[in-house]
Amino acid sequence: MEITFSLEEIDATAKQLLAADLKQIVVFHASMGAGKTTLIKAIARQMGVKDITSSPTFSLVNEYETAGGKPLFHFDLYRLNTEEEAYDMGIDEYFYSGNMCLIEWPEKTPNLIPLDHSSISIKQLADGRRHVTLK
């Protein structure tokens, strides 16, 4: 699935991505500032998260509650230096919890990401819109 959207269309894009039957583990690939966190916030809103969402850059993971009462985990692995750091924080317990995990910078832990996952790539276009590819 491929979608090109403006910031005003981000909630509709998030809704389309969720309707595409995302796996429980979703990795986000994009350059710095391309909109990973912004898209994850929109996905959280579409899942009924009422809490204020923010990038977990310093905490590595934020937990939100969806409208259905289930946890939603948002990871930002940018600050990790080794996969061992992720393993020490119990990342595998999150991944195999049965709850959705949205992961920024998954390339920091390539050997820990479950094989059964969805992958979203985001590219910023010259006109300010974003192009998203879901695999």
Coordinates of all heavy atoms in Angstrom, one line a residue, residues 17-73:
L17 N -4.2 3.1 7.2 CA -3.1 2.2 7.6 C -3.7 1.2 8.5 O -3.4 0.0 8.4 CB -1.9 2.9 8.2 CG -1.1 3.8 7.2 CD1 -0.1 4.7 7.9 CD2 -0.4 2.9 6.2
L18 N -4.4 1.6 9.5 CA -5.0 0.7 10.5 C -6.0 -0.3 9.8 O -6.1 -1.5 10.1 CB -5.7 1.4 11.6 CG -4.8 2.1 12.6 CD1 -5.5 3.1 13.5 CD2 -4.1 1.0 13.5
A19 N -6.7 0.2 8.8 CA -7.7 -0.6 8.1 C -7.0 -1.7 7.2 O -7.6 -2.7 6.8 CB -8.6 0.2 7.2
A20 N -5.7 -1.4 6.9 CA -4.9 -2.4 6.1 C -4.5 -3.6 6.9 O -3.7 -4.4 6.5 CB -3.7 -1.6 5.5
D21 N -5.0 -3.7 8.1 CA -4.7 -4.8 9.0 C -3.2 -4.9 9.4 O -2.5 -5.9 9.1 CB -5.1 -6.1 8.3 CG -5.4 -7.2 9.4 OD1 -5.6 -6.9 10.5 OD2 -5.3 -8.4 9.0
L22 N -2.7 -3.9 10.0 CA -1.3 -3.8 10.5 C -1.1 -5.0 11.5 O -1.9 -5.4 12.2 CB -1.1 -2.5 11.3 CG -1.0 -1.2 10.4 CD1 -0.8 0.0 11.4 CD2 0.1 -1.3 9.4
K23 N 0.2 -5.5 11.4 CA 0.6 -6.5 12.4 C 0.7 -5.8 13.8 O 0.7 -4.6 13.9 CB 1.9 -7.0 12.0 CG 2.0 -7.6 10.6 CD 1.6 -9.0 10.5 CE 1.8 -9.5 9.1 NZ 1.4 -10.8 8.9
Q24 N 0.9 -6.6 14.8 CA 1.1 -6.1 16.2 C 2.4 -5.3 16.3 O 2.5 -4.3 17.1 CB 1.1 -7.2 17.2 CG -0.3 -7.7 17.5 CD -0.3 -8.7 18.6 OE1 -0.1 -9.9 18.3 NE2 -0.5 -8.3 19.8
I25 N 3.4 -5.7 15.5 CA 4.7 -5.0 15.6 C 4.8 -4.2 14.3 O 4.6 -4.7 13.2 CB 5.9 -6.0 15.6 CG1 5.7 -6.9 16.8 CG2 7.2 -5.2 15.7 CD1 5.7 -6.3 18.2
V26 N 4.9 -2.8 14.4 CA 5.0 -2.0 13.2 C 6.3 -1.2 13.4 O 6.5 -0.4 14.4 CB 3.8 -1.0 13.1 CG1 3.9 -0.2 11.8 CG2 2.5 -1.8 13.2
V27 N 7.2 -1.3 12.4 CA 8.4 -0.5 12.4 C 8.3 0.6 11.4 O 7.6 0.5 10.4 CB 9.7 -1.4 12.0 CG1 9.8 -2.5 13.1 CG2 9.6 -2.0 10.7
F28 N 8.9 1.8 11.7 CA 8.8 3.0 11.0 C 10.2 3.3 10.5 O 11.1 3.5 11.3 CB 8.2 4.1 11.8 CG 6.8 3.9 12.1 CD1 6.4 3.1 13.1 CD2 5.8 4.6 11.4 CE1 5.0 2.9 13.3 CE2 4.5 4.4 11.6 CZ 4.1 3.6 12.6
H29 N 10.4 3.5 9.2 CA 11.7 3.8 8.6 C 11.6 5.2 7.9 O 10.7 5.4 7.1 CB 12.1 2.8 7.5 CG 12.3 1.4 8.1 ND1 13.5 1.1 8.7 CD2 11.6 0.3 8.1 CE1 13.4 -0.2 9.1 NE2 12.2 -0.7 8.7
A30 N 12.4 6.1 8.3 CA 12.4 7.5 7.7 C 13.6 8.2 8.3 O 14.1 7.9 9.3 CB 11.1 8.2 8.1
S31 N 14.0 9.3 7.5 CA 15.0 10.1 8.0 C 14.6 11.0 9.2 O 13.3 11.1 9.4 CB 15.6 11.0 6.9 OG 14.5 11.8 6.4
M32 N 15.5 11.6 9.9 CA 15.2 12.5 11.0 C 14.3 13.6 10.5 O 14.5 14.2 9.4 CB 16.5 13.1 11.5 CG 16.3 13.9 12.7 SD 16.0 13.0 14.3 CE 17.6 12.3 14.6
G33 N 13.1 13.8 11.1 CA 12.3 14.9 10.8 C 11.3 14.6 9.7 O 10.5 15.5 9.3
A34 N 11.2 13.4 9.2 CA 10.3 13.0 8.1 C 8.8 12.8 8.6 O 7.9 12.8 7.8 CB 10.8 11.8 7.4
G35 N 8.6 12.7 9.9 CA 7.3 12.6 10.4 C 6.9 11.2 11.0 O 5.7 10.9 11.2
K36 N 7.8 10.5 11.5 CA 7.5 9.2 12.2 C 6.7 9.4 13.4 O 5.6 8.8 13.5 CB 8.8 8.5 12.6 CG 9.7 8.0 11.4 CD 11.0 7.3 11.9 CE 11.9 8.2 12.6 NZ 12.5 9.3 11.9
T37 N 7.1 10.3 14.3 CA 6.3 10.5 15.5 C 5.0 11.1 15.2 O 4.0 10.7 15.8 CB 7.1 11.5 16.4 OG1 8.4 10.9 16.8 CG2 6.4 11.8 17.7
T38 N 4.9 12.0 14.2 CA 3.6 12.7 13.9 C 2.6 11.6 13.4 O 1.5 11.6 13.7 CB 3.8 13.8 12.8 OG1 4.8 14.7 13.4 CG2 2.6 14.5 12.5
L39 N 3.1 10.7 12.5 CA 2.2 9.6 12.0 C 1.8 8.7 13.2 O 0.7 8.3 13.2 CB 2.9 8.9 10.9 CG 2.0 7.8 10.2 CD1 0.7 8.3 9.7 CD2 2.8 7.1 9.1
I40 N 2.7 8.4 14.0 CA 2.4 7.5 15.2 C 1.4 8.2 16.1 O 0.4 7.5 16.5 CB 3.7 7.1 16.0 CG1 4.5 6.1 15.1 CG2 3.4 6.5 17.3 CD1 5.9 5.8 15.7
K41 N 1.5 9.5 16.3 CA 0.5 10.2 17.1 C -0.9 10.1 16.4 O -1.9 9.9 17.1 CB 0.8 11.6 17.2 CG 2.0 11.9 18.2 CD 2.3 13.4 18.2 CE 3.4 13.7 19.1 NZ 3.6 15.2 19.2
A42 N -0.9 10.2 15.1 CA -2.2 10.1 14.4 C -2.8 8.6 14.5 O -4.0 8.5 14.7 CB -2.0 10.5 12.9
I43 N -1.9 7.6 14.4 CA -2.4 6.3 14.6 C -3.0 6.1 16.0 O -4.0 5.4 16.1 CB -1.2 5.3 14.3 CG1 -0.9 5.3 12.8 CG2 -1.6 3.9 14.7 CD1 0.4 4.5 12.4
A44 N -2.3 6.6 17.0 CA -2.7 6.5 18.4 C -4.1 7.1 18.5 O -5.0 6.6 19.1 CB -1.7 7.1 19.3
R45 N -4.3 8.3 17.9 CA -5.6 9.0 18.0 C -6.7 8.1 17.3 O -7.8 8.0 17.9 CB -5.6 10.3 17.2 CG -5.0 11.5 18.0 CD -5.3 12.8 17.3 NE -4.8 13.0 16.0 CZ -3.6 13.3 15.6 NH1 -2.7 13.6 16.6 NH2 -3.2 13.4 14.4
Q46 N -6.4 7.5 16.2 CA -7.3 6.7 15.5 C -7.7 5.4 16.3 O -8.7 4.8 16.2 CB -6.8 6.3 14.1 CG -6.8 7.4 13.2 CD -8.1 8.1 13.0 OE1 -9.1 7.5 12.8 NE2 -8.1 9.4 13.2
M47 N -6.8 5.0 17.2 CA -7.0 3.9 18.1 C -7.7 4.3 19.4 O -7.9 3.5 20.3 CB -5.7 3.1 18.4 CG -5.1 2.5 17.2 SD -3.5 1.7 17.5 CE -4.1 0.3 18.4
G48 N -8.0 5.6 19.5 CA -8.8 6.0 20.6 C -8.0 6.5 21.8 O -8.5 6.7 22.9
V49 N -6.7 6.7 21.6 CA -5.8 7.2 22.7 C -6.2 8.6 23.0 O -6.2 9.4 22.1 CB -4.3 7.0 22.3 CG1 -3.5 7.7 23.4 CG2 -3.9 5.6 22.2
K50 N -6.5 8.9 24.3 CA -6.9 10.2 24.7 C -5.8 10.9 25.4 O -5.8 12.2 25.5 CB -8.1 10.1 25.7 CG -9.3 9.4 25.2 CD -9.9 10.3 24.1 CE -11.2 9.6 23.6 NZ -11.6 10.0 22.2
D51 N -4.7 10.2 25.8 CA -3.6 10.8 26.5 C -2.8 11.7 25.5 O -2.9 11.5 24.3 CB -2.6 9.8 27.0 CG -3.3 8.9 28.1 OD1 -4.1 9.4 28.8 OD2 -2.9 7.7 28.2
I52 N -2.1 12.6 26.0 CA -1.1 13.4 25.2 C 0.0 12.5 24.8 O 0.6 11.8 25.6 CB -0.6 14.6 26.0 CG1 -1.7 15.6 26.3 CG2 0.5 15.3 25.2 CD1 -1.3 16.7 27.2
T53 N 0.2 12.4 23.5 CA 1.3 11.5 23.0 C 2.5 12.4 22.7 O 2.4 13.5 22.2 CB 0.8 10.7 21.7 OG1 0.3 11.7 20.8 CG2 -0.3 9.7 22.1
S54 N 3.7 11.8 22.9 CA 4.9 12.5 22.6 C 6.0 11.4 22.3 O 5.8 10.2 22.5 CB 5.3 13.3 23.8 OG 5.6 12.5 24.9
S55 N 7.1 11.9 21.7 CA 8.1 11.0 21.4 C 8.8 10.5 22.7 O 9.2 11.3 23.5 CB 9.2 11.7 20.5 OG 10.3 10.8 20.3
P56 N 9.0 9.2 22.8 CA 9.7 8.7 23.9 C 11.2 8.6 23.8 O 11.9 7.7 24.2 CB 9.1 7.2 24.0 CG 8.9 6.9 22.6 CD 8.4 8.2 21.9
T57 N 11.8 9.7 23.2 CA 13.2 9.7 22.9 C 14.1 9.4 24.2 O 15.0 8.7 24.1 CB 13.6 11.1 22.3 OG1 12.8 11.3 21.1 CG2 15.1 11.2 22.0
F58 N 13.7 10.0 25.3 CA 14.5 9.8 26.5 C 14.1 8.6 27.3 O 15.0 8.0 28.0 CB 14.6 11.1 27.3 CG 15.2 12.3 26.5 CD1 14.4 13.2 25.9 CD2 16.6 12.3 26.4 CE1 15.0 14.2 25.2 CE2 17.2 13.3 25.7 CZ 16.4 14.3 25.0
S59 N 12.9 8.3 27.3 CA 12.4 7.1 28.1 C 12.5 5.8 27.3 O 12.3 4.8 27.8 CB 11.0 7.4 28.6 OG 10.1 7.5 27.5
L60 N 12.6 5.9 25.9 CA 12.7 4.8 25.0 C 11.3 4.2 24.7 O 11.1 3.8 23.6 CB 13.6 3.7 25.4 CG 15.1 4.1 25.5 CD1 15.9 2.8 26.0 CD2 15.6 4.6 24.2
V61 N 10.4 4.2 25.7 CA 9.0 3.7 25.4 C 8.0 4.5 26.2 O 8.2 4.8 27.3 CB 8.9 2.2 25.7 CG1 9.2 1.9 27.2 CG2 7.6 1.6 25.3
N62 N 6.9 4.8 25.5 CA 5.7 5.3 26.1 C 4.6 4.3 26.0 O 4.5 3.7 25.0 CB 5.3 6.7 25.5 CG 6.2 7.8 25.8 OD1 7.0 7.8 26.8 ND2 6.1 8.9 25.0
E63 N 3.8 4.3 27.0 CA 2.6 3.4 27.0 C 1.3 4.2 27.0 O 1.2 5.2 27.8 CB 2.6 2.4 28.2 CG 1.4 1.5 28.2 CD 1.4 0.5 29.4 OE1 2.5 0.4 30.0 OE2 0.4 0.0 29.7
Y64 N 0.4 3.9 26.1 CA -0.9 4.6 26.1 C -2.0 3.5 26.2 O -1.8 2.4 25.9 CB -1.0 5.4 24.7 CG 0.1 6.3 24.5 CD1 1.0 6.1 23.5 CD2 0.3 7.4 25.3 CE1 2.1 6.9 23.2 CE2 1.3 8.3 25.0 CZ 2.2 8.0 24.0 OH 3.3 8.9 23.8
E65 N -3.2 4.0 26.5 CA -4.3 3.1 26.6 C -5.3 3.4 25.4 O -5.7 4.6 25.2 CB -5.1 3.3 27.9 CG -6.2 2.3 28.0 CD -6.9 2.4 29.4 OE1 -6.2 2.7 30.4 OE2 -8.1 2.2 29.4
T66 N -5.6 2.4 24.6 CA -6.5 2.6 23.5 C -8.0 2.7 24.0 O -8.3 2.4 25.1 CB -6.4 1.5 22.5 OG1 -6.9 0.3 23.1 CG2 -4.9 1.3 22.0
A67 N -8.9 3.0 23.1 CA -10.3 3.1 23.4 C -10.8 1.7 23.9 O -11.7 1.7 24.7 CB -11.1 3.5 22.2
G68 N -10.2 0.6 23.4 CA -10.6 -0.7 23.9 C -9.9 -1.1 25.2 O -10.1 -2.3 25.6
G69 N -9.2 -0.2 25.8 CA -8.5 -0.5 27.1 C -7.3 -1.3 27.0 O -6.7 -1.7 28.0
K70 N -6.7 -1.5 25.8 CA -5.5 -2.2 25.6 C -4.3 -1.3 25.6 O -4.4 -0.1 25.1 CB -5.5 -3.0 24.2 CG -6.5 -4.1 24.2 CD -6.4 -4.9 22.9 CE -6.2 -6.3 23.2 NZ -5.7 -7.1 22.1
P71 N -3.2 -1.7 26.0 CA -1.9 -0.9 25.9 C -1.5 -0.8 24.5 O -1.6 -1.7 23.7 CB -0.9 -1.7 26.7 CG -1.7 -2.7 27.5 CD -2.9 -3.0 26.8
L72 N -0.9 0.4 24.2 CA -0.3 0.7 22.9 C 1.1 1.2 23.3 O 1.2 2.1 24.1 CB -1.0 1.7 22.1 CG -0.3 2.3 20.9 CD1 -0.2 1.2 19.8 CD2 -1.1 3.5 20.3
F73 N 2.2 0.5 22.8 CA 3.5 0.9 23.1 C 4.2 1.6 21.9 O 4.1 1.2 20.8 CB 4.4 -0.3 23.5 CG 3.8 -1.1 24.6 CD1 3.3 -2.3 24.5 CD2 3.9 -0.5 25.9 CE1 2.8 -3.0 25.6 CE2 3.4 -1.2 27.0 CZ 2.8 -2.5 26.8

